[in-house]
Amino acid sequence: MIYSGPAITVQMLEDGIAEFKFDLENESVNKFNRVTLDDLAAAIHVVKANPQIKGLLVTSAKNFFIVGADITEFGDVFSHGRDYIKNWVMDIHRTFNAFEDLNIPKVVAINGFALGGGLEMCLVNDYRVMSDKAQIGLPELNLGLIPGFGGTVRIARLAGAAKGIEWISTSYPRKAQQALADGVVDEIAPHDELREVALQALKKAIAGEIDWQAKRATKLQPIAMPQGDSKDFFNSVRAELTKKTNPEQYPASKAFLDVIEESADMPRDQAVEVEAKHFADVCVTPQADALIGLFLSDQVIKRIAKKNSADALEVNKAAVLGSGIMGGGIAYQAATKGTPIIMKDIGQDALDLGMAEAEKQLNRQLQRGRITEDKKAATLALITPQLSYDGFDEVDIVIEAVTENSKVKEAVLTEVENEIRDNAILASNTSTISITELAKTLKRPANFVGMHFFNPVPLMPLVEVIRGKESSPTAVSTAVALATKMGKSPIVVEDCPGFLVNRVLFPYFDAFDLLLKEGACIQKIDQVMEDFGWPMGPAYLSDVIGLDTCVHASDVLAEGFPDRMKPSFKGATKVLFEANRLGQKNGKGFYMYEADESGRQRKAFDPEIKELLAEHIDAADGPGSVEFSDDAIRDRLMLTMCNEVARCIDEKIVSSPDEADMALIMGLGFPKFRGGALRYIDQTGLSDYVALCDRYAHLGKAYEAPQILRDMAAKGETFF
């Protein structure tokens, strides 16, 4: 053994070849934490001093090569500020450069995943052999960062500026054939032969049959730019990227391109200094803080879900009551993950609609090359559409997904309970109706739980698992386990009107209605909130949800929380609903809708709105006649939502800030770069946030800062 450390070993093999193996102690995966980075520098020093080594075979003892940097360590590093971060990352550059500059060929065998810093380690090798089952990528933009261990510099030199930009801007991992075609790896090997193929490549490099020095030289020199004026090239690329991602919301999306452009004509050593500067700049942005926080919260909710599924019954077969879009989506999601499911309804037309929904989703996967015709057929075969309760005595869980009406749900749940085994779990896909109340008609309320999927089911990752007063740990665990098996992210919430997501959404809608009553412009409100980062403003979102659905949910919440959710006036949403404007579902709501050539619903301003709302607003000159500042619109809408999230934490409706924020991200489309409602409060500052609440408290209790926030502000506390 030439070198043995806690993360790396170097051992002589044969003919001057040494194996440089990553194997981080006490961890299931390799990652670049402080231990690995220190070990890397020490191992390089030993290799450089050993004249017997003629070449390095770089491998991993884990199932994955290196999954990236240890993100849990970022908080401490980044808290020291921009200059500290730049010096920290320049130390890493010096280590990576020292490895790259070893005057011997280095061949890396890439297995499993090599992501972020893992791929950056691969790039400092002279020749890359990739398993046909491996995936590699640079996902740093998802964290609000740029590749900072030399990845921004090296990939643009290896793959060319255009491909390098594409790899970084899209962030997703590439499979072996794509990586080879783009010039990021040099050879593909069958998974079981990876080490041997890499070893043979190293022997060829030592023998001079592979010009490893020329391959290395490419990374040390300026970028080989596309023909034409480089300024025009970067201006064009920048314009295209800005269409997809707002650089003010995601500054890293601009910073990585700045690095490539500014360092295009520089040698490596100068280029990595440019990268280090921009890396440090984005590390201290609130967007990076929020996005890194979300990544860590995602790990938290996965651990909590695992804990919450400890008492689960095994689900070998499921059933869904009610087909249509929602039932078909649930059936599709279960079947795609291998769970046989019965889809029952009372009418053949509804069953046909449910199967059509499942087939539509599978056809999309087929068109994108993600499944085969055989896989599509096998998945559809797992869904059994039927009008009877045949086979319900064999299912382990039934998910009720009928219309959002308590009387209808009670009747259906009571009926199906008589058709299933005594230990089978019964779940309701209600979005607002109390699980505790629905359970009162059941003989086995302990086996009953809420399981709220979001529409469209295949696209929305969140499932709220609602624990009623009598729901047993087994019922909750089974629902959590099934949601996880279906590829969803379950979050357990306590029973209350609206549960978590709808409970915090409707104060936002109430604030929107109040602004309209005072004469604000619908389109301006939507634009301000979209500029804030929401995928759509409140008027457009109401139309997408359906104004009938909004009115129903609003009534439930008004009854549940009359002190702050029962308006003293008839809001615009109810006025339009009573005029049979239901939103996209009938082509007119706050906007009017027409299908474009692709069949997509396009919204347009409808002048009839002013007439309909005129007598319901305070402004003498009619709707849209009063000018509100962007700040006032944003603050009034966000305060009501954020305050309600804080109340849910205080009341333990949800068990942690991580779960609360992730629920809003996954269930509502809360702007990711803001990190969720509670991170938004943290970043505003608790004292400043409470002062903002006080400024608007005259508008009603929904705007008043909850006591939990006043207490936290007084103690200097934060949620994260």
Side-chain angles (χ1 to χ4, degrees), residues 316-339:
N316 296 309
K317 190 172 186 178
V320 61
L321 288 177
S323 50
I325 301 298
M326 180 60 78
I330 292 171
Y332 159 83
Q333 197 66 35
T336 57
K337 301 302 180 181
T339 300

Side-chain angles (χ1 to χ4, degrees), residues 245-260:
T245 306
N246 184 339
E248 291 184 8
Q249 296 177 350
Y250 294 89
S253 67
K254 175 182 181 295
F256 89 88
L257 190 59
D258 290 343
V259 172
I260 295 174

Side-chain angles (χ1 to χ4, degrees), residues 271-551:
V272 295
E273 288 191 23
V274 175
E275 182 184 285
K277 175 193 175 297
H278 284 283
F279 179 79
D281 287 344
V282 296
C283 287
V284 296
T285 61
Q287 292 91 339
D289 176 66
L291 291 166
I292 291 168
L294 284 182
F295 177 88
L296 297 175
S297 288
D298 188 53
Q299 307 305 304
V300 170
I301 68 166
K302 283 181 170 64
R303 289 195 295 271
I304 293 173
K306 187 175 181 180
K307 180 181 176 183
N308 283 337
S309 59
D311 296 324
L313 299 175
E314 187 173 352
V315 175
N316 296 309
K317 190 172 186 178
V320 61
L321 288 177
S323 50
I325 301 298
M326 180 60 78
I330 292 171
Y332 159 83
Q333 197 66 35
T336 57
K337 301 302 180 181
T339 300
I341 186 164
I342 297 170
M343 183 170 63
K344 181 194 178 299
D345 211 300
I346 57 173
Q348 188 60 47
D349 288 349
L351 289 177
D352 292 343
L353 181 62
M355 289 304 293
E357 175 65 17
E359 187 159 12
K360 180 179 78 174
Q361 297 297 336
L362 288 165
N363 283 336
R364 285 179 179 169
Q365 299 298 308
L366 189 66
Q367 289 164 6
R368 293 169 184 169
R370 294 176 182 173
I371 61 171
T372 62
E373 282 283 3
D374 287 346
K375 175 66 175 173
K376 173 189 167 182
T379 302
L380 283 174
L382 290 174
I383 305 173
T384 305
Q386 61 186 50
L387 300 172
S388 70
Y389 282 112
D390 291 349
F392 269 64
D393 58 340
E394 298 175 0
V395 302
D396 304 296
I397 187 169
V398 178
I399 303 168
E400 167 272 307
V402 301
T403 187
E404 189 73 356
N405 178 292
S406 58
K407 298 299 181 187
V408 175
K409 285 184 182 293
E410 285 170 3
V412 169
L413 290 166
T414 302
E415 183 177 89
V416 73
E417 190 181 32
N418 293 321
E419 304 290 340
I420 59 178
R421 301 192 314 267
D422 286 355
N423 67 338
I425 304 302
L426 192 52
S428 176
N429 178 48
T430 177
S431 57
T432 55
I433 302 169
S434 168
I435 295 301
T436 301
E437 289 301 311
L438 288 174
K440 288 179 179 178
T441 62
L442 298 176
K443 293 181 291 187
R444 299 183 292 275
N447 290 357
F448 182 57
V449 69
M451 205 171 176
H452 177 207
F453 291 81
F454 289 74
N455 197 26
V457 175
L459 297 181
M460 300 297 282
L462 178 65
V463 173
E464 284 182 309
V465 174
I466 303 102
R467 177 168 30 219
K469 283 187 179 177
E470 296 196 59
S471 301
S472 68
T474 299
V476 173
S477 283
T478 304
V480 169
L482 177 61
T484 303
K485 185 180 179 183
M486 291 170 73
K488 299 301 179 184
S489 296
I491 291 177
V492 177
V493 300
E494 301 301 321
D495 192 20
C496 69
F499 315 131
L500 173 62
V501 171
N502 280 329
R503 174 174 165 177
V504 305
L505 172 62
F506 277 84
Y508 172 87
F509 281 150
D510 291 344
F512 166 63
D513 266 345
L514 182 57
L515 275 167
L516 295 186
K517 178 176 168 36
E518 294 177 12
C521 172
I522 292 170
Q523 295 97 308
K524 179 172 181 180
I525 294 171
D526 270 6
Q527 188 60 59
V528 168
M529 298 318 292
E530 287 166 18
D531 290 344
F532 179 79
W534 287 97
M536 55 189 76
Y540 190 15
L541 178 59
S542 298
D543 282 354
V544 170
I545 293 171
L547 270 64
D548 51 343
T549 303
C550 289
V551 167

Side-chain angles (χ1 to χ4, degrees), residues 22-31 33 60-67 111:
F22 287 88
D23 188 9
L24 183 57
E25 288 179 354
N26 304 316
E27 296 284 353
S28 59
V29 294
N30 290 319
K31 53 190 172 183
N33 56 10
S60 165
K62 313 285 191 187
N63 291 329
F64 302 142
F65 181 69
I66 300 172
V67 296
N111 64 310

